Amino acid sequence: MESARKAPRGTRKRDTPLTEEGIYAAALRLIDADGVKALTMRKLAAELDANPMSLYHHVPNKDALLKGVARLAGSEFRTAERNDLPWQENVRQLALDFRSLAHRHPNLVTHVFTRPDFIQPDDPFWRGLTGALGAAGVPEREIPRVSAVLCAVFSGLLVAELNGALRRWMSLSPMPTGPDEAEPPAAAEADVDAMFGIALDATIAGLESQLADTRRR
Amino acid sequence: MESARKAPRGTRKRDTPLTEEGIYAAALRLIDADGVKALTMRKLAAELDANPMSLYHHVPNKDALLKGVARLAGSEFRTAERNDLPWQENVRQLALDFRSLAHRHPNLVTHVFTRPDFIQPDDPFWRGLTGALGAAGVPEREIPRVSAVLCAVFSGLLVAELNGALRRWMSLSPMPTGPDEAEPPAAAEADVDAMFGIALDATIAGLESQLADTRRR
DNA sequence: ACCTGAACACCGTTCAAGT
DNA sequence: ACCTGAACACCGTTCAAGT
């Protein structure tokens, strides 16, 4: 009854020295598997065949550990800016690339979104977004504001998708149902994909209309 | 160096019996003051002049406690649906009323947004939102989808505001700055208010344009 | 029915001691 | 420089015992 879980390596000691990056990578694996709440310094050390206290020679504390893991996962973000496409396509592609990263690390991303420092000015996502808005003709001094709102909107959509709220809300009845009405069908994955696409379209449309208003004035 | 904090009542015992609602209310006070992470069963018991174990006779565990606190705070939500106003005004007012609740309990709301169950079908917010969309002419079967997207968008904006990300992003330079450029000024509270309003306008505008598209087809 | 003390199985982190 | 064992000050929760 008490074996077989991550058993293959038994209790041997490490043969390679601990490194900061190796610690972050192992922590990311554990978070992907079991969530941020289940990550403890002690379990992480066990995953690395190390003494729990050894970690503190490479990482000052657990909060810094989580920050490092977030940076590591963030470095996976890849996107291709294409000058031959309209800015709308570039914004759309950024959001979709962000979403695919979020799908690879849902537990981490949900946690990271609640932290104030999860997007940095040198992130490719931020650079891509501000670049696309510049191409769209948003006045230079308005770009940070508009980018900020878009970041907030995308992250809200992603969090709601990742934690299942979006799926649940989709399945709610429009009005409080009497007991005799049929349950609405549960939303399928394809529905969530479609809804994300629709929300993205609407966001870009809203942006276009704001832009048109500004130009007209 | 170690006194005076919540000292007035000393270590006397309770004179009124513990109740589930009283426990939630005390937990909400502690969360408002110090955040969700700092709330422990033991500190909560101390706040109530009770033995830590007594709490378990009214609340099954800490997760249920947080759920109860979320329900209590949610019950503070108030809004006035007005049939004499256009649906856009009703949606705007719902979002602003939601925001004012979030401002009263920022620590709790930030935490609750990451949970999948934070909006229930009988919440006045959900009923108001679906009602307004019905008045807007959104087809009955599309209402849950559209409401879900709006919930996700509003919550994203609120989380980004509450944890300070919105303010930070606003202050970022549009392009990576050289070392000689001046720091952009930090965003003030009025800026955040204004940006929330703009984002809300843009969201409603996006909704209107989606609606117009649907009608035209 | 409601409360309580002791205890269990955990946490993050400090620190002195080892190599 | 890097690692380690023991220890400290906490956690959430169980359980048997009290009233």
Side-chain angles (χ1 to χ4, degrees):
Chain A
M1 276 294 184
E2 47 178 355
S3 65
R5 264 182 60 93
K6 99 177 126 176
R9 80 167 68 77
T11 45
R12 71 172 163 77
K13 300 296 173 185
R14 300 184 50 73
D15 46 358
T16 53
L18 285 174
T19 65
E20 199 180 334
E21 288 307 306
I23 289 171
Y24 294 149
L28 182 53
R29 284 198 304 276
L30 290 185
I31 289 171
D32 285 341
D34 301 317
V36 172
K37 262 195 74 174
L39 178 73
T40 70
M41 300 300 276
R42 287 164 144 101
K43 281 190 210 160
L44 176 55
E47 169 81 7
L48 288 161
D49 295 318
N51 183 291
M53 297 309 111
S54 304
L55 303 179
Y56 286 90
H57 285 272
H58 302 90
V59 166
N61 54 46
K62 192 179 179 181
D63 201 68
L65 170 70
L66 287 174
K67 209 162 142 181
V69 175
R71 192 190 44 63
L72 174 64
S75 74
E76 288 180 16
F77 182 81
R78 290 285 178 279
T79 197
E81 197 182 344
R82 295 182 48 174
N83 292 325
D84 57 326
L85 293 182
W87 65 267
Q88 289 92 334
E89 270 318 300
N90 277 322
V91 170
R92 160 187 298 282
Q93 197 55 52
L94 277 167
L96 292 176
D97 290 336
F98 196 2
R99 183 174 182 239
S100 95
L101 175 63
H103 283 186
R104 281 204 297 285
H105 306 292
N107 294 334
L108 178 67
V109 167
T110 302
H111 170 261
V112 156
F113 275 146
T114 68
R115 302 183 58 127
D117 55 358
F118 79 91
I119 285 184
Q120 302 290 343
D122 53 346
D123 279 345
F125 179 77
W126 183 261
R127 297 172 65 139
L129 192 53
T130 54
L133 294 179
V138 176
E140 188 84 2
R141 58 180 295 281
E142 296 292 338
I143 286 181
R145 296 170 137 76
V146 179
S147 299
V149 169
L150 289 177
C151 283
V153 167
F154 290 155
S155 60
L157 286 166
L158 281 178
V159 168
E161 179 188 355
L162 294 178
N163 70 17
L166 204 57
R167 198 183 228 107
R168 244 186 9 90
W169 291 335
M170 283 174 71
S171 313
L172 291 181
S173 317
M175 297 294 171
T177 63
D180 53 340
E181 301 199 31
E183 275 293 305
E189 193 167 319
D191 289 324
V192 176
D193 283 358
M195 187 150 54
F196 193 91
I198 290 170
L200 190 48
D201 286 342
T203 304
I204 292 174
L207 197 54
E208 283 174 325
S209 84
Q210 287 280 109
L211 211 54
D213 285 359
T214 309
R215 284 228 187 78
R216 201 173 314 122
R217 263 183 260 128
Chain B
M1 276 295 182
E2 46 178 0
S3 65
R5 263 180 60 93
K6 97 176 123 175
R9 81 168 67 79
T11 43
R12 73 171 161 80
K13 299 297 172 184
R14 301 184 49 73
D15 46 358
T16 54
L18 285 174
T19 64
E20 198 181 334
E21 288 308 306
I23 289 172
Y24 295 149
L28 182 54
R29 285 199 304 275
L30 291 185
I31 289 172
D32 285 342
D34 301 318
V36 172
K37 261 194 76 172
L39 177 73
T40 70
M41 299 301 275
R42 287 163 145 101
K43 281 190 211 159
L44 176 56
E47 169 81 8
L48 288 161
D49 295 318
N51 182 289
M53 296 311 110
S54 303
L55 304 179
Y56 285 90
H57 285 272
H58 302 89
V59 166
N61 54 46
K62 193 179 178 180
D63 201 69
L65 170 70
L66 288 174
K67 209 161 141 181
V69 176
R71 192 190 43 65
L72 174 64
S75 74
E76 288 180 15
F77 181 81
R78 289 286 178 279
T79 197
E81 197 182 344
R82 295 182 48 174
N83 293 324
D84 58 325
L85 293 182
W87 64 268
Q88 290 91 334
E89 268 320 299
N90 277 323
V91 170
R92 159 188 299 283
Q93 198 54 54
L94 276 167
L96 292 176
D97 291 335
F98 196 1
R99 183 173 182 238
S100 96
L101 176 62
H103 283 186
R104 280 204 298 285
H105 306 292
N107 295 334
L108 178 67
V109 167
T110 302
H111 170 261
V112 157
F113 276 148
T114 68
R115 302 183 57 127
D117 54 357
F118 78 92
I119 286 184
Q120 302 290 343
D122 54 344
D123 279 345
F125 180 77
W126 183 261
R127 297 174 64 137
L129 191 54
T130 54
L133 294 179
V138 176
E140 188 84 2
R141 56 180 297 280
E142 296 293 335
I143 286 182
R145 298 168 136 77
V146 179
S147 299
V149 168
L150 288 177
C151 283
V153 167
F154 291 154
S155 60
L157 285 166
L158 280 178
V159 167
E161 179 188 357
L162 294 178
N163 69 17
L166 205 58
R167 197 182 228 109
R168 244 186 8 91
W169 291 334
M170 283 174 70
S171 313
L172 292 180
S173 316
M175 296 294 170
T177 63
D180 53 340
E181 301 198 33
E183 276 292 306
E189 191 167 320
D191 289 324
V192 176
D193 283 357
M195 187 149 53
F196 193 91
I198 290 170
L200 190 49
D201 287 341
T203 303
I204 293 174
L207 197 55
E208 284 173 325
S209 84
Q210 288 280 110
L211 212 53
D213 285 359
T214 308
R215 285 229 187 76
R216 202 173 313 122
R217 265 184 258 129

